Amino acid sequence: MEVTLECRPGNVALVRIDRPEARNALNGAIRERLAEIFAEIAADDSVRCAVLAGTDKVFAAGADIKAMAEAEPIDMMNRPGDRAWKVLKEFPKPLIAAVNGYALGGGCELAMHADIIVAGEGARFGQPEIKVGIIPGAGGTQRLVRAVGKFKAMKILLTGDFVSARDAEAMGLVSEVVPDGEVLDRALALAGQIAALPPIAARTIKELVLQGGDLSLDSALLLERNAFRLMFGTADQKEGMRAFLEKRPPAFSGR
Ligand code: DAK
């Protein structure tokens, strides 16, 4: 199986891509499996946070060039598995990308669908589509510029050059850089930490950050204010605040 789902203790799901002979190139079967898995864990109340990883050598080198080389526009319209991008975009729970090695093209776009990116020191990010005569197709021209700003994004997109993990971190594309051997453990630890917090608050924060970014500041602030008020209808708000006042650890129920 080239994509695996593992349910970890503490309400964490680990999804791994494993097609090392093709540098985890995202063929139709992998995209289809990602769509299935993320739809499944989105609906599974026992999952509160997910980690998406490749192998310890590569995250993903992008879409499968062999499968696209002779394609016509209509083939691109009907490409199997492309619903994965929609499922990932709409995945409502916190998602952490654990990046070792290359995250290129669709692989970089895949990482940018996450909410937090943990990268190994040897990770390399890039949008090299231009070098094979195409452009990014899963949000690279839009999410990258929102993450790092116009001038860094343009350089990456127009040259196709790779960026080191440290440079990616400095420009805001990576949340945290750790030694290569510690990437997955760090991502899982962060996921465990987030999964232990109230899931309704976590989902709402994700929703506001993503939706709010496309709105005027006033509209986004209104959205936040209303969502803030709704938190007072959750059991976890009562538990969190009472536990604080009673000087005891909270026991969040997810309601
Ligand atoms: N596709 C297919 N095979 C790939 C591949 C890829 N993206 N990347 C690597 N491979 C294969 C190589 O062909 C080689 O296969 P064999 O020759 O052994 O059969 C094997 O993996 C090992 O590759 P290398 O020998 O090149 O390995 P190195 O370690 O030397 O180099 C590398 C690793 C990742 C730097 C290099 O392989 C590389 O530059 N790969 C291509 C990276 C790239 O150009 N990525 C962008 C692809 S275009 C869409 C949404 C998104 C997209 C498209 C549509 N829609 C929603 C419609 C995305 C497009 C892209 O990502």
Side-chain angles (χ1 to χ4, degrees), residues 21-23 25 61-66 79 82 85 102 104-106 128 137-138:
E21 70 287 357
R23 302 297 182 269
D64 192 320
I65 297 173
K66 285 176 194 157
R79 241 168 48 122
D82 269 344
W85 299 113
Y102 295 108
L104 303 176

Side-chain angles (χ1 to χ4, degrees), residues 28 31-32 35 76-87:
R31 294 192 305 271
E32 188 50 47
M76 285 292 109
M77 282 183 74
N78 295 326
R79 241 168 48 122
D82 269 344
R83 73 185 180 100
W85 299 113
K86 186 168 187 293
V87 172

Side-chain angles (χ1 to χ4, degrees), residues 11 16 20 30 110 132 135 148 156 162 174 187 204 215 221 242:
N11 305 103
R16 299 201 75 170
I30 288 182
L110 193 59
V132 290
I135 65 167
V148 306
I156 293 168
F162 302 163
V174 158
T204 307
L215 300 176
L221 290 173
R242 283 174 191 155

